[in-house]
Amino acid sequence: MKTDRLKYAGMIFACVAGTPAFAQSMCDVDRALTIVSATDEGLYEETHGPENTIDGDLDPDSRWSSESQGGPRTLLLDLGAQQTLSALDIAWYKGDSRKSTFSVEASTDGETYVEVIPQGQTGGATLDFERFETGGVDAQYVRLIGVGNESNNWNSIVEIAAIGCGEDVAAPAQPVLTERRGQGMFGLDPNVPPGQNFDLTGWYITTPADDDGDGKADSVYENELAGGWTDDRYFFTDPATGGMVFRSTPAGARTSVNTNYTRTELRGMLRAGDYSIETRIDGGYPNLNNWVFSSAPEAAQAAAGGVDGALRATLAVNQVTRQGRDYQVGRVIIGQIHAKDDEPIRLYYRKLPQNKYGSIYFAHEPATGREEWVELIGTRADWAPNPEDGIALDEVFSYEIEVIGTPEGDEIIPMLHVKIIRDDGTEVVAEPFDMRDSGFSIEDEFMFFKAGAYSQNNSSPDPERDFDRVTFFELDYSHDAPPAGDGVEPVVPAVVEAVPATAGVVFDDSFADGVRDGGDDELGTNWWTTTNSSALEFGPNLLGLVSGGSGRGIRTTFDPQALAVGQTVQATFTFTTPDFVGEDRDSALRIGLYDTLGRAELNGDLSASSNNPQPAYDGLPGYMIDFDIGLSDPTAANIDIRRHTEDTQGRLLGTTKGYQHLAGGGDPYVFEPNQTYTGTIALTVLENGVEIAGSLAQDGVVLTEFAHVDEGSDVSTIGMLAFHVNSKTFGSSKDRDTPDNGIDFSNVRLEIIE
């Protein structure tokens, strides 16, 4: 059997080297196709990179291994040209002793994928190649999506072969290598502070320290926290996993005289470092830094920074207290929704010293009425038996806390949803909790999220060694937009019917007043965030797109322009690059023009991410152009043109998924630091289609330009212009009002040309 395997490996190696064993061009006979490259996300184990799967070596040490840590892992194969794919032959690592779970998707363009092998398991009985049929699909790109095996979360493949027919493709002389990312869990880097692994611009932290001697626990606010602040006593990066560690000792300082317990805990800050916005308003009224329920009065929603919300985290509890009063031992709060004075939810983890596993439960403390408790895993009792389905210390799990307003007749009922996701993917879901009678749906109430380690034991006799420690691997929150955007004062334009376009300037914004709505400038326009609320930065004569360490987008809406045949809508934008310009950032600067389809919610901030898509962005007719930054081969830098499709990505320009790539071209170009460029995007309505054109110039000299006609397109109304920059493209910082944090626009003009 080993001899047969080596013979087959030799045939595969010959094909990879560009000399296929068979030369049939029809699918009468299948053959091993050339695989030009095998790549992945960069999270593989040590020397077990994806290129090992196509090296013709069946030694188990020559394998790809990547651990699923809260999400799948993807092995991407490039066949070099569109081929007919009949099957995949895969030799799995330890394939004779365990079953691996995976699925396979195929694509002709690398953007739109279809599932060709549904999620299932391997046979678990052989080290040889197993064949998995794909049905003769046309494909150039094939991605295998692994979610671990029956023994653990590792995805490991020794060798893979694509079987089918098509044109002969020569493999590159040198293998394409995937750059390895963070060494810790979930792609986290153990060598950087938490603010470089996590987006902490929307949080401040309180610890048990009292270094200023004022008798209260110390706090560090958003900009300093996101800038890399750590404290090796209470808040730091775990050197093994890269996780964000919260340590809270009962011996530390409290946050106030009314608090009985210590904490190392984050507090959500929707202002995201804009210190001109108060943390809270005296009297308990909502402001831009806090959020409210959708059952609150409209005036409260309009004044708030968000409506309803979801908090998501992946974490492990590493240690809890073991000594002290019976009712306090072993309990720590790991997530909260805090109101003005009370807590709609406190999520507890509790493990008693005599038990192997811990319990999870939550408390609902209403503004009016008695506190209620809900047990999810195990029980909160002081002498509870070991919960057989409990969660052990150091076990990784996730939680989701979400408030959703549910219509009931003419009312909106605030419903609390809580979910625990185990590391094997199983879920424990609480019954939706009705908060209509909890007293939070009033005008002088507000909410904010909290996460970390909030100790619930102040009686341990050995507080320096008997403490709580919690490590977070993922953490984010999201909210719906308020009725008037994010509560900003500028008047939001009402949605109007498209007007027939007439030649002239629609807006010409030079940001003279340094505000988001153009101020007193009659030709100014409004600006909204499309991703993180920190994406916008304003100053005299500039608008900043803050994107140094985080992919972010901004956009403006205007009276929809209905173009007639022969008319052109053209946006011209002038911007300056920062000190840092990234490398190998393909399609990283994106500009789009869209029809808003009369959606009123687009006239406001709408944060979107892969975890929090916004349906308002789905299916908007329009086009994107994008520019490459710092390619290793500068001659490959071009302008790509893409059409927005009826997608459900909910991210607008945050991803090229949901777009059809139409064409690319133009002269090569290079972006340099601290230089000013002027770009354009233009759409011209033709008799039978739309011409899309883009250009880039510097000092009046055109560096590159490209145009393409999308025949048969009926896109003719435009009401929104958007920009997006991928992370690590322009700038080294993602904090507002700091140097080198993104690109600065000095002028954006939109005009109709006949």
Side-chain angles (χ1 to χ4, degrees), residues 418-494:
V418 184
K419 180 192 297 184
I420 304 298
I421 305 99
R422 305 294 296 263
D423 59 353
D424 62 0
T426 59
E427 298 182 351
V428 179
V429 182
E431 288 292 325
F433 192 96
D434 190 329
M435 298 187 291
R436 76 180 77 194
D437 297 323
S438 297
F440 296 125
S441 301
I442 58 176
E443 191 166 0
D444 58 342
E445 188 60 271
F446 61 86
M447 308 289 155
F448 50 92
F449 284 124
K450 306 193 82 174
Y454 183 14
S455 295
Q456 296 296 288
N457 182 354
N458 59 9
S459 59
S460 175
D462 190 8
E464 288 304 323
R465 290 187 297 178
D466 193 29
F467 54 83
D468 297 296
R469 171 176 159 147
V470 182
T471 302
F472 281 72
F473 305 106
E474 295 178 332
L475 179 66
D476 64 56
Y477 61 75
S478 60
H479 301 282
D480 293 334
D486 64 352
V488 296
E489 294 183 1
V491 177
V492 177

Side-chain angles (χ1 to χ4, degrees), residues 98 149 285 403 464 474 597 613 696 699:
R98 67 189 188 189
N149 62 76
Y285 290 92
V403 174
E464 288 304 323
E474 295 178 332
L597 298 178
L696 183 70
D699 297 328

Side-chain angles (χ1 to χ4, degrees), residues 567-641:
Q567 289 185 316
T568 299
V569 56
Q570 176 173 289
T572 304
F573 46 96
T574 300
F575 63 96
T576 301
T577 57
D579 293 341
F580 172 81
V581 175
E583 297 180 355
D584 287 326
R585 314 305 292 166
D586 181 61
S587 303
L589 171 58
R590 303 167 184 170
I591 306 96
L593 286 168
Y594 306 90
D595 184 351
T596 59
L597 298 178
R599 296 175 181 172
E601 59 267 40
L602 292 172
N603 292 329
D605 291 341
L606 281 179
S607 176
S609 66
S610 57
N611 293 327
N612 180 39
Q614 281 289 352
Y617 296 139
D618 288 342
L620 298 176
Y623 295 91
M624 170 209 299
I625 65 169
D626 58 56
F627 295 92
D628 304 318
I629 286 82
L631 297 188
S632 56
D633 178 9
T635 64
N638 69 352
I639 299 174
D640 283 308
I641 295 174

Side-chain angles (χ1 to χ4, degrees), residues 39 54 106 148 160 165 180 184 219 240 253 276 290 317 320 357 359 415 445 533 544 558 566 596 667 726:
T39 56
I54 58 171
I160 191 166
C165 59
R180 190 162 182 246
S219 295
S276 67
N290 302 298
V317 179
V320 292
Y357 300 116
S359 302
M415 302 296 293
E445 188 60 271
S533 59
F558 45 88
T596 59
D667 294 331
N726 283 358

